[in-house]
Amino acid sequence: MSRFDPAHPVFDLSESSTVLTQQICDVESVSGDETLLADAIVASLAGADHLEIIRDGDTIVARTNLGRAQRVVIAGHIDTVPLNDNLPTRYETLDGEEYLWGRGTVDMKAGVAVQLKLAAELTEPVVDITWMWYDHEEVSNELNGLTRLAANRPDLFAGDFAILGEPTNSQIEGGCNGNLRAEIRAYGLRAHSARSWVGDNAIHKAAAILAILDSYEAPEVEVDGLVYREGLNAVGISGGVAGNIIPDEVMVHVNYRFAPSRSGDEAVAHIRELFAGYDVKIVDLAVGARPGLDAPLAQRFLAAVGGEAKPKYGWTDVARFSAMGVPAVNYGPGDPMKAHADDERVRVSQIEDCEAGLRSWLSGRG
Ligand SMILES: N[C@@H](CCC[C@H](NC(=O)CCC(=O)O)C(=O)O)C(=O)O
C-alpha cells in the first residue's frame, strides 16, 4: 500500500471511513483554499461509472440516474474554519474511547468521508442520490459554493429530501438557527492624545455597546417541538488610528443567532432596536430553517436511524434546501460542541455509526 501524501492527495475509497476522514482532514482546506481537496475528490471518483460527475468551481456533484421514484440529496462542505495548530490529525484515547483529533474532524470532514465512501460503494441505492461536496460554507452566504451552484445549475437541487452531513453525534438534528452579523459603530472626534480634552474618544464608547451584549439574556425558543437556543455576541472589535491620536471611530462586530421562527426582517429589527442610537450595518444574514421533521422521508429516516431529534444551533444549508421546498435534516458524525474548537475531535465509533445508518437506509434495510 502506498503512503498517503497530503500534498498530492488521492483517496482510495475502499479504505475505512475513519482512515478517509484522517486523510481528508490532513489536506488543509480552510475556506478559499479547497481546490486541492476538490481535485482529489474528483480523482478518487474516477472509476465510479454509476455516477454522473458535475463540477462547478470547487463544488462537486455526483449523482445516480437509476430512474428511482425518489431522489435524496446528500451534501457536505469541504472547507474548514482556520487552523490553530491543530493539524495534522492524530488518534487519541479518552475514557477508553478512540478519537480522531484535528481541524475538520467534526466540522465536517468525517461526514464528507462517510458520504464519499458510500457514493463510491452504493451502486444500486433504493433512491436516486445526488451527492454534493461544496466549498466556502464557513464564510458568508454570498461565497457559499451552493449559492453559486444554485445560480448556475438550480436543476441539480431537485429532490424529495436532503441530508446535510453536519456534526450531530450521528443523531438527527432538525432545522437550524438563523445567523446575522452586524457592525455596530460609535463615533467621536480625533485629537492629539496630549490634548485629549479637545477630542471625543470613540473607543471608550465601545464599553456601552459591550454592556448591551453583556446584559443580553438570549432566549430559548420552541419551534415545532424543538427548543432552539439563541445567542448574541461580540466576535470582533476594531478601532484606533495611532499611538498618539484620540480615535474617532470604533466598531464592534456582532453575531446574532436567532430561532428559525424569526424572519430575517425580524432579526434585523431586533438588532436595530437593541443598538438604537448607534450606526448599525448588517453585513451578513442567513435565515434559519424550521425542523421539518413531519415530511414522510424525514419520518422514515428518523425511524431508521433512531434516537430523538434535537435542534441544530449552528446555521447549516438545511436552510437553503428548506427554502427551496426540499425537506432537509442534519445527520453526521462528531459532537457539534467541538465544532470550531481547538480540540476538535470525532469519536471513531460515531463515524462508523453514521456510515452504518446511511448505508442501511439507502440500501432499503433501514
Ligand atoms: N454562512 C454562514 C456559515 C456558517 C456556518 C456555520 N455552521 C456550522 O458551524 C454548523 C455546525 C454546527 O453548528 O453544528 C456556523 O453556524 O457558523 C455564516 O455566514 O457564518
Side-chain angles (χ1 to χ4, degrees):
M1 194 183 69
S2 60
R3 225 176 123 75
F4 179 75
D5 176 4
H8 302 95
V10 184
F11 305 119
D12 172 356
L13 299 180
S14 67
E15 291 280 10
S16 73
S17 40
T18 302
V19 167
L20 289 171
T21 302
Q22 178 167 37
Q23 295 180 346
I24 293 169
C25 288
D26 285 339
V27 181
E28 291 182 25
S29 58
V30 176
S31 312
D33 199 11
E34 298 95 331
T35 304
L36 183 63
L37 180 54
D39 290 348
I41 289 174
V42 172
S44 71
L45 291 169
D49 295 337
H50 61 292
L51 295 172
E52 176 193 5
I53 311 285
I54 300 132
R55 182 163 179 172
D56 181 285
D58 288 332
T59 290
I60 297 133
V61 178
R63 62 178 179 179
T64 63
N65 293 304
L66 299 165
R68 301 289 196 243
Q70 289 174 309
R71 178 172 289 279
V72 174
V73 183
I74 305 182
H77 63 85
I78 62 170
D79 61 321
T80 70
V81 294
L83 275 56
N84 193 9
D85 208 13
N86 49 6
L87 279 184
T89 51
R90 62 171 187 257
Y91 286 94
E92 281 184 342
T93 303
L94 293 170
D95 299 328
E97 286 283 352
E98 195 180 17
Y99 287 83
L100 182 63
W101 174 99
R103 176 60 78 230
T105 50
V106 169
D107 193 3
M108 57 156 283
K109 291 182 168 180
V112 169
V114 166
Q115 294 174 357
L116 269 174
K117 183 171 178 61
L118 293 177
E121 291 184 3
L122 294 180
T123 55
E124 291 286 334
V126 291
V127 288
D128 267 311
I129 307 174
T130 303
W131 303 95
M132 289 181 176
W133 300 289
Y134 60 102
D135 56 290
H136 282 99
E137 189 268 356
E138 296 286 8
V139 287
S140 78
N141 203 34
E142 189 188 357
L143 292 173
N144 187 310
L146 293 188
T147 303
R148 191 182 61 239
L149 190 68
N152 294 342
R153 290 291 307 270
D155 56 301
L156 295 176
F157 290 79
D160 301 286
F161 182 49
I163 300 169
L164 276 294
E166 295 277 2
T168 63
N169 285 312
S170 295
Q171 304 258 293
I172 289 176
E173 289 189 356
C176 70
N177 267 327
N179 190 14
L180 176 154
R181 273 190 284 267
E183 293 176 352
I184 315 294
R185 284 188 172 74
Y187 300 101
L189 183 66
R190 273 191 208 194
H192 194 307
S193 58
R195 286 170 285 278
S196 56
W197 56 91
V198 298
D200 180 16
N201 195 319
I203 287 184
H204 294 182
K205 299 179 186 189
I209 297 174
L210 297 177
I212 294 171
L213 294 168
D214 196 40
S215 62
Y216 186 79
E217 289 185 20
E220 296 186 349
V221 182
E222 184 175 335
V223 183
D224 302 340
L226 297 183
V227 178
Y228 291 83
R229 195 167 171 173
E230 297 193 332
L232 179 68
N233 287 281
V235 290
I237 187 161
S238 63
V241 183
N244 57 358
I245 295 182
I246 298 301
D248 59 345
E249 182 175 329
V250 69
M251 188 274 283
V252 181
H253 190 177
V254 165
N255 185 207
Y256 177 39
R257 304 290 179 143
F258 56 97
S261 50
R262 300 194 201 283
S263 68
D265 285 348
E266 285 168 345
V268 169
H270 185 53
I271 293 302
R272 290 200 185 282
E273 189 186 338
L274 266 178
F275 296 102
Y278 295 98
D279 178 10
V280 175
K281 183 177 176 197
I282 308 297
V283 290
D284 198 23
L285 174 63
V287 294
R290 300 179 82 96
L293 296 171
D294 45 354
L297 273 170
Q299 285 286 312
R300 273 167 40 200
F301 187 52
L302 189 55
V305 299
E308 197 184 331
K310 297 196 167 65
K312 172 58 82 190
Y313 299 132
W315 183 90
T316 77
D317 277 289
V318 297
R320 181 184 308 278
F321 284 95
S322 300
M324 290 175 168
V326 180
V329 298
N330 303 284
Y331 175 72
D335 182 349
M337 294 300 185
K338 289 288 176 198
H340 304 189
D342 289 342
D343 63 343
E344 186 171 350
R345 55 173 180 251
V346 62
R347 204 195 294 178
V348 167
S349 63
Q350 283 194 3
I351 305 177
E352 295 162 352
D353 289 348
C354 178
E355 182 189 328
L358 272 178
R359 183 189 291 280
S360 143
W361 190 66
L362 294 168
S363 308
R365 297 195 301 268

